Amino acid sequence: MTSRSSTEPHRASTPLELFFDLSFVVAIAQAGGRLVHSLAEGHPWHGIGGYVLVFFAIWWAWVNFTWFASAYDSDDPLYRVAVLIQITGVLVLAAGVPRAFDNHDYKIAIAGYLIMRLAQMFQWLRAAHDETDPAARRTALRYAAGLLCVQIAWVVLLVLPHAAWNWGFVPLALAEMAVPAIAERERQTTWHPHHIAERYGLFTLIVLGESVSAATIAIQSALDDQAALGELLPISAGGLLIVFSAYWIYFAVPIHDYLVSGKQAFLWGYGHYVIFGSAAAIGAGMEVAVEQAVGVAHVSLVGASACATIPTALFMFTVWAIHSRHHKRGLVQQLILPGAAALVLLCTFAGKAAVPLAGVVAALAVAAGVVSAALVGEGDVRPGHA
């Protein structure tokens, strides 16, 4: 297991990587389902807090595997077994999500997280053992040491009283994110820009797929509940417009050419915590809006609308901030997505028209982006042209 070339031609995601990604669908669905329950019951801060914590574990484990695999994927039997163990950890984490949300019992979720992280530590130790470059070996060892230290800290936090989570989670999350910066201060791992861009794009599709599932549930509810058909169909249509627009916005421009340095890659990769989290939360917001429309959610109309419009606006603004603005030319192009995000937030107060109106705003933002790109001659602006 020695480092692969960052300029390797025709580098693409492997079937094992895709299998790894699909295992996260269960955990994301569990987190989204619990978020819906908390928001619909009128406990937004409880739901958001639990969602932020659980989604961090999901996102960070995926990030670490993805960047490691981009640099060291050997796809031999031992590597595959380690990845399958990590997948097992994902499933254990997913099983612990309900207890984490409902009872603040993080034991099972942390156990799943530790399985993933310790398997990742083994991968780094193996890379250090096989690496022929002394600087690369030191980088791998620093990764392994950093992982071990932080995992011990998570176990210590787990045995402390529950109140310790109020002050312990954020420092440990920051410590997790600091490990790559410290480990790679001497030598950057040989991750592949095209491969990384593709991997992040594929995971974006997975989280958007969760929102598509939620929109499907909304449509099914509209067809099953004839009494509320007039209210549910606009919500369903607005939800689909939002999800379709989110897909178009993210894949409108290539990004691999921007990932030319470690600093740029770190900021871009870390910023996807908000992109992934908000994309998955869009679907949860749609479900809350549907439940409010049929009278089963204990939340106001404005509150239910905010559950859909806030993650939509957050997704649009964050995609612009860390992803698409690097390809925009001129003030008009730069203002399309931030301006659309602001308008989506204003849609919150549009009553029953909030979600469909937010969908129209998102679609108009896509149309404005396509037209402005054509006017300045950017060439092929088809979604997915990367």
Side-chain angles (χ1 to χ4, degrees):
M1 184 183 281
T2 56
S3 56
R4 300 177 64 160
S5 172
S6 60
T7 60
E8 181 181 339
H10 310 298
R11 183 72 189 276
S13 298
T14 67
L16 184 60
E17 287 177 318
L18 300 178
F19 187 34
F20 182 82
D21 289 357
L22 286 176
S23 70
F24 280 83
V25 171
V26 179
I28 294 171
Q30 287 281 353
R34 292 294 159 170
L35 178 61
V36 170
H37 178 75
S38 295
L39 294 176
E41 292 298 318
H43 306 297
W45 298 118
H46 170 77
I48 294 172
Y51 182 76
V52 167
L53 189 152
V54 170
F55 203 88
F56 173 83
I58 296 170
W59 164 75
W60 189 241
W62 180 88
V63 165
N64 276 246
F65 166 79
T66 296
W67 289 81
F68 174 85
S70 189
Y72 284 101
D73 183 0
S74 59
D75 201 31
D76 61 6
L78 190 55
Y79 176 86
R80 290 187 178 190
V81 169
V83 174
L84 294 177
I85 292 174
Q86 288 177 280
I87 291 175
T88 303
V90 177
L91 300 179
V92 174
L93 170 63
V97 168
R99 294 189 182 189
F101 264 87
D102 299 340
N103 306 318
H104 301 290
D105 182 356
Y106 301 106
K107 294 183 180 67
I108 296 178
I110 290 294
Y113 184 73
L114 290 176
I115 291 172
M116 291 187 286
R117 304 300 281 144
L118 293 176
Q120 187 64 64
M121 185 181 70
F122 166 78
Q123 296 276 50
W124 280 114
L125 289 173
R126 186 181 174 209
H129 178 269
D130 296 343
E131 185 60 73
T132 57
D133 182 351
R137 183 182 299 113
R138 288 191 293 271
T139 296
L141 288 173
R142 279 194 291 266
Y143 262 110
L147 284 173
L148 179 61
C149 291
V150 180
Q151 302 329 297
I152 291 174
W154 283 117
V155 173
V156 171
L157 185 61
L158 188 63
V159 301
L160 292 176
H162 169 68
W165 282 92
N166 296 331
W167 56 264
F169 170 75
V170 172
L172 285 184
L174 293 175
E176 287 272 19
M177 292 188 289
V179 170
I182 295 173
E184 299 197 19
R185 68 178 186 272
E186 179 184 357
R187 184 187 185 279
Q188 179 179 295
T189 53
T190 56
W191 46 267
H192 195 289
H194 285 264
H195 181 243
I196 287 294
E198 181 189 21
R199 298 289 293 117
Y200 271 74
L202 291 172
F203 202 73
T204 300
L205 291 177
I206 285 178
V207 292
L208 285 177
E210 288 297 314
S211 293
V212 170
S213 175
T216 302
I217 293 173
I219 293 173
Q220 182 180 1
S221 299
L223 295 175
D224 292 342
D225 191 342
Q226 297 295 322
L229 188 63
E231 293 183 355
L232 294 181
L233 280 180
I235 295 174
S236 303
L240 284 176
L241 280 177
I242 289 172
V243 174
F244 293 163
S245 299
Y247 156 75
W248 196 303
I249 288 168
Y250 186 88
F251 291 99
V253 297
I255 197 62
H256 56 268
D257 291 336
Y258 172 72
L259 304 178
V260 296
S261 71
K263 180 180 179 180
Q264 290 172 327
F266 275 129
L267 294 176
W268 178 84
Y270 285 9
H272 272 72
Y273 172 64
V274 180
I275 291 178
F276 292 157
S278 59
I282 289 172
M286 297 303 163
E287 291 192 52
V288 174
V290 168
E291 291 189 11
Q292 198 281 332
V294 298
V296 299
H298 302 102
V299 62
S300 67
L301 179 58
V302 172
S305 300
C307 292
T309 57
I310 290 177
T312 301
L314 192 59
F315 177 87
M316 296 172 71
F317 181 82
T318 309
V319 169
W320 168 80
I322 70 169
H323 191 79
S324 61
R325 70 181 177 89
H326 308 295
H327 293 266
K328 301 299 181 182
R329 303 176 186 176
L331 182 61
V332 173
Q333 279 197 338
Q334 292 289 4
L335 289 178
I336 291 175
L337 283 180
L343 290 176
V344 167
L345 287 177
L346 290 177
C347 292
T348 305
F349 307 99
K352 295 181 180 180
V355 174
L357 189 58
V360 171
V361 170
L364 289 175
V366 170
V370 171
V371 171
S372 64
L375 290 176
V376 299
E378 281 193 353
D380 194 340
V381 293
R382 292 173 295 170
H385 180 67

